[in-house]
Amino acid sequence: ATEASVRALRDALNRGLLCIPNQPTHGIPWQLLIKLGVPARPLSSAEPMPVDRVRLSSILPVGLQVLPIQINIVMGGLWVNEKESCGNSTMCTVVACVTLQRSDVPPGDSSTQNYHHGQWS
């Protein structure tokens, strides 16, 4: 699930998050929220498959002027095991949603605009 999560996050960052402030933000505090929908562990429906958060952090843009960075891993995505019907193949799909928002605004406050982008990988 880590490799699929890395691909999903990289795609979401490269395709949609074009306006990350890498210059001084003039005192406006920003935060980067990352939400990954990861399939359930095999033989379990209670928790998502494990994902290496250090590996995810390593692909974030260098010099990011937004803090804190939150990575939330939730149930989602898709796991296909085709060993019985189509040979010996499996597929793990993870959904990444990246939001850049002001950290001085309470969650759910719609009075400011956030940059939000979701990407399949």
Side-chain angles (χ1 to χ4, degrees), residues 12-41:
L13 290 169
N14 291 340
R15 294 176 192 228
L17 202 60
L18 301 175
C19 301
I20 292 178
N22 57 5
Q23 304 171 28
T25 56
H26 305 292
I28 299 172
W30 292 92
Q31 65 180 350
L32 188 65
L33 306 175
I34 299 167
K35 189 173 189 178
L36 299 172
V38 177
R41 293 175 182 252

Side-chain angles (χ1 to χ4, degrees), residues 1-117:
T2 296
E3 195 60 39
S5 296
V6 166
R7 283 192 307 266
L9 179 56
R10 185 174 286 133
D11 283 350
L13 290 169
N14 291 340
R15 294 176 192 228
L17 202 60
L18 301 175
C19 301
I20 292 178
N22 57 5
Q23 304 171 28
T25 56
H26 305 292
I28 299 172
W30 292 92
Q31 65 180 350
L32 188 65
L33 306 175
I34 299 167
K35 189 173 189 178
L36 299 172
V38 177
R41 293 175 182 252
L43 305 176
S44 167
S45 60
E47 59 186 56
M49 298 172 88
V51 174
D52 182 353
R53 291 172 185 267
V54 172
R55 182 114 181 267
L56 292 175
S57 298
S58 72
I59 67 165
L60 294 174
V62 178
L64 208 56
Q65 296 291 321
V66 292
L67 288 174
I69 298 171
Q70 287 184 335
I71 301 176
N72 296 319
I73 298 172
V74 299
M75 293 285 289
L78 176 68
W79 173 260
V80 178
N81 185 352
E82 298 182 354
K83 289 182 180 179
E84 294 82 28
S85 60
C86 298
N88 206 14
S89 63
T90 58
M91 178 180 65
C92 180
T93 301
V94 171
V95 179
C97 178
V98 177
T99 304
L100 180 63
Q101 73 177 26
R102 291 179 60 155
S103 60
D104 62 343
V105 176
D109 185 345
S110 60
S111 63
T112 62
Q113 293 184 350
N114 295 328
Y115 185 83
H116 173 81
H117 185 76

